[in-house]
Amino acid sequence: MIQKIKGTMDILPEETPLWRHIEGIMREEAEKYGFGEIRTPTFENTELFVRGVGDTTDVVQKEMYTFADREENRSISLRPEGTASVARAIIENGKFSDPMPLKYYYIISCFRHEKPQAGRSREFYQFGTEMFGSQSPASDATSIALANSVLKRLGLTNVKLHLNSIGCKECRPAYRAALVEYFTAHKECLCDTCKTRLEKNPLRLLDCKSPECKKIASGAPKTVDHLCEKCNSNFDTLGKALSAMNIDYEIDTNIVRGLDYYTGTVFEFIAEGIGAQSTVCGGGRYDGLVSSLGGPELSGIGFGMGITRLILALREMGLDNVEAKKPVVYIASLGERAMVKGLEITERLRSLGHFAECDVVGRSLKAQMKYANKIGAAYTLIIGDSEVDAGVAQLRDMQSGEQREVALDSFVI
Ligand code: ATP
Ligand code: MG
């Protein structure tokens, strides 16, 4: 038997009601906050992610699904995340001449060759938002508030907001120097990847997953102690805005985010009780991204929310029970003429907007009634030859067992 690729998943009709419930809330909230949906291609030129995500990141170095295009001599990659593609799209479509800010959201699948485990897959689903064209902490606050309101509407009270600032290009050099000095003193104990990162991008060392590096990183200088005046005051204003909006947070200096393009505000929403992969949402500011992709200087703030991890968190809280829709009427029939009549009525009910079902298998009447019960139909209508001749049949309320006569040609529910 051919099986699905490791780290991918089939989401079956029993499960999609929960997915649609979650995605529905995401769409409604995003639109309430003035974000419009954007759809970009599933694959892009590899160069976009190398430049947009960063060639010192694990995502680009180890996790991308990259392959040679069939006809042309170029490398393409399945998107490992959504931000770089959106940034490319706004540049390519000249959206930077629109009134600012630009506010976009998407619900997409992303691809990363990671070790599959609970909350980590190779194709994963993400709700993402991007807001371009504002440096004001009001835009950070708005972006965080949107993520928070999605989590709140889902009922996830076991999720906490962790907040940090990693500084801008003004404060980065001094911080970088402090980091290099600190990690150079521990160089011998670092993993091989981190040894090269030390020269290329020392900030990445703070994000290494190796236990030894993690231990060393816990004693490293903190970004918040090296912020320039502007970053400091923005961070302060953001805190005040979040408090005014009734959004709880804690400052967590360990949050640095895995991608290269972040500047200033970074944040994660972390769920309790769902195991090691507990970050349900991660985001931050990326003021250098658009210009690094050949666009104008345009600041940005966004986040990505992992849908599978949300489901784990909902399950942990017992909030994952979203039932599929049930038919209002099931029409049981006996014989060919009754079957045709049943199809006619079912179609009429559907055209009136109802969820109606009828027998399409040719089961016995008894089996049809059992099936109607199983699928949770509110009413059943039983039609045989004599009902077709008389033009009337009994409509049965499956809850109360009560029956009433209805005229087949004019019956609507
Ligand atoms: P992590 O540290 O958990 O690997 P990340 O920093 O790589 O996360 P982002 O690139 O910021 O993650 O993606 C945003 C969100 O998408 C994450 O917070 C997480 O909820 C989800 N996510 C990321 N990678 C995966 C994956 N392989 N499988 C499932 N969900 C994922
Ligand atoms: Mg990751």
Coordinates of all heavy atoms in Angstrom, one line a residue, residues 63 112 114 120, ligand 2:
E63 N 16.1 22.7 6.5 CA 14.7 22.2 6.5 C 13.9 22.4 5.3 O 12.8 22.0 5.1 CB 14.0 22.9 7.7 CG 14.6 22.5 9.1 CD 14.0 23.4 10.2 OE1 13.2 24.2 10.0 OE2 14.5 23.1 11.4
R112 N 8.5 22.1 6.1 CA 9.9 22.1 6.7 C 10.3 20.6 7.0 O 9.5 19.9 7.6 CB 9.9 22.9 8.0 CG 9.6 24.3 7.8 CD 9.8 25.1 9.1 NE 9.2 26.4 9.0 CZ 9.1 27.3 10.0 NH1 9.5 26.9 11.2 NH2 8.6 28.5 9.8
E114 N 11.6 18.6 9.2 CA 11.9 18.6 10.6 C 11.6 17.2 11.1 O 11.0 16.4 10.4 CB 11.1 19.6 11.4 CG 11.3 21.0 11.0 CD 10.8 22.0 12.0 OE1 11.5 22.2 13.0 OE2 9.7 22.5 11.8
R120 N 4.8 18.9 15.7 CA 5.8 19.3 14.7 C 5.7 18.3 13.5 O 5.9 17.1 13.7 CB 7.2 19.2 15.3 CG 8.2 19.9 14.5 CD 9.6 19.9 15.1 NE 9.7 20.8 16.2 CZ 9.7 22.1 16.2 NH1 9.6 22.7 15.0 NH2 9.8 22.8 17.3
Ligands
MG2 MG 11.2 25.8 14.1

